[in-house]
Amino acid sequence: MRFFADYDRSAAVLYAHQWAYGRNPAFYDYENLGGDCTNFASQCVFAGSGVMNFTPDFGWYYIDANQKSPSWTGVPYFWNFMTRGTPSVGPVAQPCALEDLRPGDLVQLSFNGQEFQHTPVVVRVTAPITLETVLIAAHSYDADNRPLATYTFQDIRFLHVLGTIRP
């Protein structure tokens, strides 16, 4: 395996803008099965990385509606895959501060303060970096260019994508 810092942030953001208010027919819409936000975030990250990890149970992949990893659609599983400590194929991210966000990075929100339930994608960051100047795209609560400050949440965490590990 080789690590390349070649995550294409522009491709991830372009994909987010293209599909923020629609659904790519190549992917199932999980809106009525708990939400589509992390599925959409995974699609955006895939657009920027071009690599999936087909490891059963602990990978990050989508084949069809019934053949996908928990990390493709599940908020906590997505976080765990992206921040994994053991090198494996696929995109890699690390927790970061609000000030470290760049377009193509990710945010996770907890509405109840107990678990994280929403994964928007950062599409624009303007200085000074605040919740008002970080704009996101998302599914479930479909949005594009929405300021983070417009959400009501109990907790928030940020993921900065470092790059992609290739086979």
Side-chain angles (χ1 to χ4, degrees):
M1 287 184 284
R2 300 173 295 160
F3 181 80
F4 290 94
D6 64 349
Y7 179 62
D8 187 341
R9 295 177 178 283
S10 295
V13 169
L14 286 172
Y15 187 96
H17 288 313
Q18 179 179 359
W19 294 105
Y21 293 111
R23 301 298 186 265
N24 182 338
F27 296 91
Y28 186 78
D29 179 3
Y30 295 94
E31 192 69 39
N32 295 319
L33 295 173
D36 198 56
C37 66
T38 305
N39 177 38
F40 175 66
S42 286
Q43 292 172 44
C44 294
V45 171
F46 179 64
S49 68
V51 176
M52 292 185 192
N53 179 321
F54 291 95
T55 304
D57 299 325
F58 299 106
W60 176 76
Y61 62 90
Y62 178 94
I63 298 169
D64 61 35
N66 297 311
Q67 298 180 83
K68 60 169 181 54
S69 64
S71 60
W72 190 269
T73 56
V75 175
Y77 304 108
F78 180 79
W79 176 275
N80 291 342
F81 177 80
M82 295 296 289
T83 62
R84 65 200 180 279
T86 304
S88 63
V89 172
V92 177
Q94 67 183 12
C96 69
L98 173 69
E99 298 78 23
D100 298 323
L101 287 175
R102 295 177 53 203
D105 286 339
L106 304 132
V107 176
Q108 290 196 327
L109 301 172
S110 172
F111 301 117
N112 63 12
Q114 297 174 25
E115 61 202 4
F116 287 89
Q117 301 141 305
H118 191 48
T119 309
V121 178
V122 176
V123 294
R124 185 170 182 205
V125 179
T126 306
I129 301 172
T130 66
L131 293 178
E132 290 81 19
T133 64
V134 172
L135 305 183
I136 59 87
H139 277 186
S140 295
Y141 305 94
D142 288 7
D144 194 18
N145 289 309
R146 179 178 176 176
L148 265 178
T150 63
Y151 282 95
T152 301
F153 55 86
Q154 298 295 313
D155 201 1
I156 189 168
R157 62 187 181 186
F158 310 105
L159 271 176
H160 175 67
V161 180
L162 299 171
T164 306
I165 296 176
R166 302 209 175 271

